[in-house]
Amino acid sequence: MIEAILTYDFLQNAFAAGLIIGVIAPLLGVFIVVRRLSLIADALSHVTLAGIAGSLFLSQSVAALAALNPLYLGIAASVAGSVMIERLRRLYKHYEELAIPIILSAGIGFGAIFISLAQGFQTDLFGYLFGSVSAVSRQDLWIVTAIAGVVVLFILLFYKELFVLSFDEEFAKASGLPSRWIHFLFMIVTALVIAGSMRIVGILLVSSLMTLPVAAAMRISGSFKGTILWSVLFGEFSVLAGLVMAFYFNLAPGGTIVVTSIVVLLLVIAFSKSVRTKTNEVVT
Amino acid sequence: MGAPLIEMEHVSFRYEQTKALEDITLTVRKGDFLAILGPNGSGKSTLLKILLGLIKPTTGTVRLFGKDIRHFRERERIGYVSQKANSFNSGFPATVEEVVKGGLAKKTGLFRRFPESAEEDVTRALKAVGMETSRKRLVGELSGGQQQRVFIARALVSRPEVLILDEPTVGVDKQNVQSFYDMLDRLNKEQEITLILVTHDAEMVSDRISHVACLNRTMHFHGFKNEMERMSAEQLEAWYGHSVRKVHHAGAVR
């Protein structure tokens, strides 16, 4: 395996991008899960699809854009989607969750139109939907690295505000924290992570890399920082194990990564249950 | 008499066409323990939101620590324990320590890490509410009363001079309500923290508070609690809108 990675450029790109995504997706995912925003990640990934399909259509029909990396329009669509979700959530104050199906269906709708317009996209489509080991270019890797820089900087700079905002929004506002701004930045960073992770895990499975490792971490962690640490560990393990399997058995990495995360989650649930029964026995 | 910390003058507030508060004048002085009583929908929460700067009054002026609220920037001088704290996401994976430390976020400032003194501040706040042994426990594992103590510690950690509590005993079981109020009493007397308490437990708090404000869109009574005791049951009924039991107690006004 190591030899193969050293030999093939495309494998280097895929593994380096995977390593980065394995950290940033669960890192941001912790905040998404505790703020009960998991479905927003799903909606944004579908909007990313529309951006990518639109970009591929444009590069076929406009000669000047032929070499455009579809990731750029994917990122733009995802960020625009996050801003629109916020607008809609404020418009439908009492039905905030309504924003999610609206944006999600808009994403799929536009995506489907562009996919049918862009001929020959069907072959790439599978890779975009479920991830690909071979399709990650050097440029993609640089984009993912830049996104990771933004995410890590954002979390480092706003960690305490994000924590307070996630735990108790009303308290955050009452104590005078700029909660609206921080939330807005949070949504944009989320959009970036989704667009960046899409190359490896695929659009349909991006949100699972942000939620499954967190779901497992929450079962065993004794603190918030611990939850972050375990989430990143589980996420990283799933991405690496998933990529290795995808390479050897020629499978879509999105599938192998997500199935690994589910196995990790089930093992953790079983483990935490047995530990809890044991402690209960000791107590009684 | 202590210095006036909170002064509201002729404050009114409207939600679109509905009058939520009308012509409220209220002064809270250093060391006061004020209970704000009133039926549901009487504007109690609106009043607190105005004090916290979350909404702006339609008319009237509010001064905090002698400064107009529009220019008041020292938010950490006023601690807040919300009603919603009782219904927070109980599965949230955070320890008592992490939650209490969050109370220092504003004081610490944007782009800064918590200072080293934060640990001591957390210890002091947890001691004040009698929760120092639960420091490393997850908040979700605590009882409703213990959680509420943690939220008070979170408000206390930034050393506020005024503590505003919005129906803090909702979700706290009956046996623990008494000791909860004992703790508030100690904060008021020993640490000289000015307390503003919105509550339904008029009976439970009556021998601890110094002042009462009776609110029902307008202010029906505001003053020392023994003055209120002299009000007739009829007067009380008139503003409360239904019959109330008068609260008697022997304690003298401080």
Side-chain angles (χ1 to χ4, degrees):
Chain A
M1 185 79 215
I2 302 206
E3 209 176 304
I5 292 179
L6 292 175
T7 320
Y8 300 112
D9 264 1
F10 78 88
L11 270 187
Q12 287 172 11
N13 295 342
F15 272 84
L19 275 170
I20 295 171
I21 290 163
V23 174
I24 58 171
L27 174 64
L28 204 67
V30 173
F31 293 96
I32 289 179
V33 169
V34 296
R35 298 191 62 197
R36 302 176 192 274
L37 297 174
S38 309
L39 286 172
I40 284 185
D42 255 323
L44 290 181
S45 62
H46 288 83
V47 175
T48 311
L49 172 70
I52 282 170
S55 175
L56 285 166
F57 168 66
L58 278 177
S59 51
Q60 278 185 2
S61 44
V62 183
L65 299 175
L68 182 73
N69 188 330
L71 207 47
Y72 290 121
L73 263 187
I75 291 171
S78 184
V79 170
S82 70
V83 174
M84 275 191 281
I85 286 181
E86 277 317 294
R87 281 274 162 95
L88 286 169
R89 268 157 64 99
R90 216 161 293 147
L91 200 62
Y92 291 97
K93 250 186 179 162
H94 302 287
Y95 297 94
E96 283 188 354
E97 75 282 0
L98 202 54
I100 293 164
I102 293 174
I103 294 298
L104 191 131
S105 39
I108 298 181
F110 282 110
I113 289 176
F114 288 129
I115 288 167
S116 44
L117 282 173
Q119 286 151 9
F121 176 40
Q122 278 77 354
T123 42
D124 292 336
L125 183 62
F126 189 80
Y128 282 110
L129 291 180
F130 302 107
S132 160
V133 180
S134 58
V136 185
S137 68
R138 208 18 82 101
Q139 197 187 19
D140 290 341
L141 177 60
W142 289 128
I143 296 174
V144 170
T145 310
I147 289 175
V150 173
V151 174
V152 171
L153 195 69
F154 174 70
I155 302 272
L156 282 179
L157 286 179
F158 293 104
Y159 175 79
K160 59 186 191 314
E161 286 80 13
L162 278 171
F163 173 79
V164 175
L165 187 64
S166 309
F167 184 74
D168 187 343
E169 199 169 340
E170 195 185 347
F171 178 81
K173 282 183 190 153
S175 54
L177 292 175
S179 45
R180 258 182 75 176
W181 267 108
I182 292 169
H183 175 70
F184 182 72
L185 290 176
F186 178 79
M187 292 299 296
I188 288 179
V189 172
T190 304
L192 289 176
V193 170
I194 285 166
S197 312
M198 177 255 350
R199 222 54 186 104
I200 297 278
V201 219
I203 282 155
L204 293 180
L205 298 168
V206 165
S207 66
S208 55
L209 192 56
M210 303 182 104
T211 50
L212 292 178
V214 183
M218 279 165 69
R219 297 293 306 176
I220 52 165
S221 164
S223 69
F224 192 70
K225 281 196 172 142
T227 307
I228 293 179
L229 206 70
W230 281 111
S231 301
V232 170
L233 272 173
F234 290 149
E236 199 62 87
F237 173 77
S238 306
V239 169
L240 288 182
L243 276 177
V244 170
M245 279 191 276
F247 174 70
Y248 275 115
F249 304 113
N250 197 19
L251 302 167
T256 51
I257 290 170
V258 169
V259 169
T260 312
S261 317
I262 287 175
V263 171
V264 169
L265 176 64
L266 291 176
L267 286 175
V268 168
I269 289 175
F271 170 77
S272 64
K273 271 201 175 149
S274 76
V275 167
R276 256 165 229 193
T277 0
K278 265 184 198 157
T279 32
N280 283 348
E281 278 165 11
V282 172
V283 171
T284 49
Chain B
M1 255 200 294
L5 303 186
I6 291 175
E7 296 158 279
M8 296 182 102
E9 271 169 38
H10 307 294
V11 166
S12 299
F13 186 81
R14 273 164 225 237
Y15 288 108
E16 287 159 10
Q17 293 304 309
T18 331
K19 285 178 187 167
L21 285 176
E22 226 182 325
D23 196 26
I24 304 291
T25 296
L26 173 83
T27 306
V28 182
R29 291 173 185 281
K30 189 168 171 51
D32 284 1
F33 187 163
L34 167 73
I36 299 178
L37 307 173
N40 285 331
S42 58
K44 294 178 303 220
S45 298
T46 309
L47 185 91
L48 293 191
K49 277 185 189 158
I50 290 175
L51 286 182
L52 293 165
L54 295 177
I55 52 175
K56 289 188 182 81
T58 317
T59 55
T61 57
V62 181
R63 275 194 300 278
L64 304 176
F65 297 90
K67 223 174 189 178
D68 191 300
I69 195 166
R70 284 167 295 184
H71 310 296
F72 185 74
R73 293 285 172 273
E74 304 151 279
R75 277 285 167 69
E76 65 275 6
R77 295 179 82 174
I78 299 178
Y80 174 54
V81 179
S82 71
Q83 193 179 1
K84 212 182 157 196
N86 299 294
S87 58
F88 84 105
N89 166 12
S90 62
F92 199 99
T95 59
V96 167
E97 182 179 20
E98 287 174 316
V99 170
V100 173
K101 220 185 231 181
L104 287 167
K106 173 69 182 168
K107 201 177 190 175
T108 307
L110 279 174
F111 313 124
R112 281 169 208 272
R113 302 177 64 132
F114 288 120
E116 274 178 35
S117 58
E119 298 296 323
E120 285 163 43
D121 289 334
V122 171
T123 309
R124 181 184 43 78
L126 284 175
K127 271 190 183 151
V129 297
M131 289 293 291
E132 65 270 31
T133 53
S134 303
R135 189 177 183 127
K136 296 286 179 195
R137 289 182 68 191
L138 289 171
V139 270
E141 294 171 351
L142 305 176
S143 73
Q146 290 174 315
Q147 285 172 351
Q148 199 57 297
R149 281 166 185 259
V150 171
F151 296 133
I152 291 180
R154 176 180 62 173
L156 287 177
V157 74
S158 61
R159 295 176 187 269
E161 290 155 72
V162 181
L163 195 58
I164 298 179
L165 304 109
D166 190 1
E167 302 199 33
T169 52
V170 175
V172 176
D173 44 304
K174 273 235 166 78
Q175 309 99 282
N176 290 324
V177 170
Q178 198 67 37
S179 69
F180 183 82
Y181 283 128
D182 286 341
M183 180 201 69
L184 288 186
D185 211 22
R186 278 200 303 278
L187 290 178
N188 179 237
K189 295 206 174 92
E190 290 167 18
Q191 309 208 13
E192 294 178 336
I193 294 172
T194 307
L195 296 177
I196 300 174
L197 175 71
V198 168
T199 182
H200 278 117
D201 314 328
E203 274 180 85
M204 286 290 221
V205 292
S206 62
D207 54 347
R208 304 168 197 276
I209 54 177
S210 62
H211 292 73
V212 186
C214 299
L215 193 70
N216 197 353
R217 201 166 51 83
T218 57
M219 191 68 87
H220 288 262
F221 174 83
H222 171 221
F224 288 113
K225 71 171 177 199
N226 61 340
E227 287 171 28
M228 179 164 158
E229 281 154 21
R230 288 198 287 271
M231 279 170 79
S232 67
E234 291 74 36
Q235 274 174 294
L236 284 173
E237 269 183 51
W239 70 264
Y240 221 105
H242 59 83
S243 82
V244 283
R245 213 149 27 112
K246 272 193 73 179
V247 185
H248 292 280
H249 41 77
V253 173
R254 283 174 287 143

